[in-house]
Amino acid sequence: DAGVTQSPTHLIKTRGQHVTLRCSPISGHKSVSWYQQVLGQGPQFIFQYYEKEERGRGNFPDRFSARQFPNYSSELNVNALLLGDSALYLCASTGPAGELFFGEGSRLTVL
Amino acid sequence: GIQVEQSPPDLILQEGANSTLRCNFSDSVNNLQWFHQNPWGQLINLFYIPSGTKQNGRLSATTVATERYSLLYISSSQTTDSGVYFCAVRAGDYKLSFGAGTTVTVRA
């Protein structure tokens, strides 16, 4: 079975641009979460979605938004990119016991 | 929010050595996971262990929930064990809170 898949794996943007990151959860998993990991730190929670509804939001500005589709895949959108948004963005789906499974991440560089 | 502290921050091992990584957390949890982050950034699930003891090959983990700590044991370390090990907990809400990680370097 496929794990959590994310795209793109790497991307470079300039300040002020917009970015969309995509995630497909493990088959059968209905909850998707997004995390941001900057260099040298642990991942920080951004959003959780379950059955297309936002269940939680971390301490991130409104420039960050997300949505979940009927097939449980998800998009993370970031507007007006700043240099500080450069990070590894990780998507996770939640298993039946509540454990999280992470994808390989999307590495965003903002120039 | 819940605080997660991992120790030591860095660990250098000779191949074949054993080691123990510790995770302390500040509140009761209903989820605790250990991850290994490989050099390409992927978080690999090691254990889902909100309480008790589990073993998987050369790795084992113990969580003592009443005392708010978890331990990850690496035995007979190999160079492929190098990387960053994260402990992450959930305290009843929807998010995992991560520690700062332990960077393990195994030398041949």
Side-chain angles (χ1 to χ4, degrees):
Chain A
D1 286 342
V4 178
T5 58
Q6 293 187 241
S7 64
T9 54
H10 295 83
L11 68 167
I12 300 173
K13 294 285 188 178
T14 57
R15 283 175 294 176
Q17 285 189 312
H18 163 270
V19 67
T20 298
L21 308 177
R22 296 176 175 83
C23 172
S24 293
I26 292 171
S27 179
H29 291 186
K30 299 180 179 180
S31 178
V32 169
S33 302
W34 288 95
Y35 288 77
Q36 181 198 63
Q37 186 179 20
V38 299
L39 197 62
Q41 298 181 20
Q44 297 292 318
F45 172 77
I46 310 176
F47 286 108
Q48 187 196 41
Y49 277 77
Y50 178 75
E51 293 274 17
K52 298 177 290 180
E53 297 289 328
E54 181 182 305
R55 287 296 183 89
R57 182 186 183 115
N59 188 23
F60 281 81
D62 292 342
R63 299 185 294 106
F64 288 75
S65 64
R67 55 179 176 168
Q68 187 177 30
F69 299 100
N71 66 353
Y72 304 112
S73 67
S74 178
E75 284 182 354
L76 175 70
N77 295 282
V78 187
N79 293 324
L81 285 168
L82 303 174
L83 295 180
D85 295 330
S86 296
L88 180 66
Y89 289 85
L90 295 161
C91 176
S93 68
T94 304
E99 72 274 38
L100 265 63
F101 298 88
F102 283 86
E104 294 185 359
S106 294
R107 194 170 297 276
L108 170 66
T109 301
V110 182
L111 301 177
Chain B
I2 191 167
Q3 303 300 310
V4 183
E5 295 183 357
Q6 291 187 244
S7 60
D10 298 280
L11 191 57
I12 298 176
L13 302 170
Q14 203 63 35
E15 200 169 26
N18 302 328
S19 63
T20 302
L21 283 60
R22 186 176 180 102
C23 172
N24 293 331
F25 42 95
S26 61
D27 204 346
S28 300
V29 299
N30 56 25
N31 178 355
L32 189 147
Q33 291 184 251
W34 283 97
F35 297 93
H36 177 211
Q37 190 164 43
N38 65 24
W40 297 272
Q42 186 170 13
L43 286 170
I44 307 298
N45 282 42
L46 298 178
F47 295 101
Y48 170 68
I49 187 167
S51 63
T53 297
K54 291 185 177 179
Q55 181 160 5
N56 184 4
R58 297 181 296 102
L59 301 180
S60 63
T62 295
T63 297
V64 184
T66 54
E67 297 186 21
R68 299 181 184 170
Y69 73 89
S70 184
L71 303 174
L72 177 70
Y73 305 96
I74 305 174
S75 65
S76 304
S77 59
Q78 301 177 359
T79 56
T80 53
D81 294 331
S82 295
V84 184
Y85 290 79
F86 286 104
C87 169
V89 303
R90 186 175 65 231
D93 57 6
Y94 37 81
K95 66 178 182 180
L96 278 183
S97 297
F98 283 77
T102 293
T103 300
V104 174
T105 303
V106 181
R107 293 179 172 167

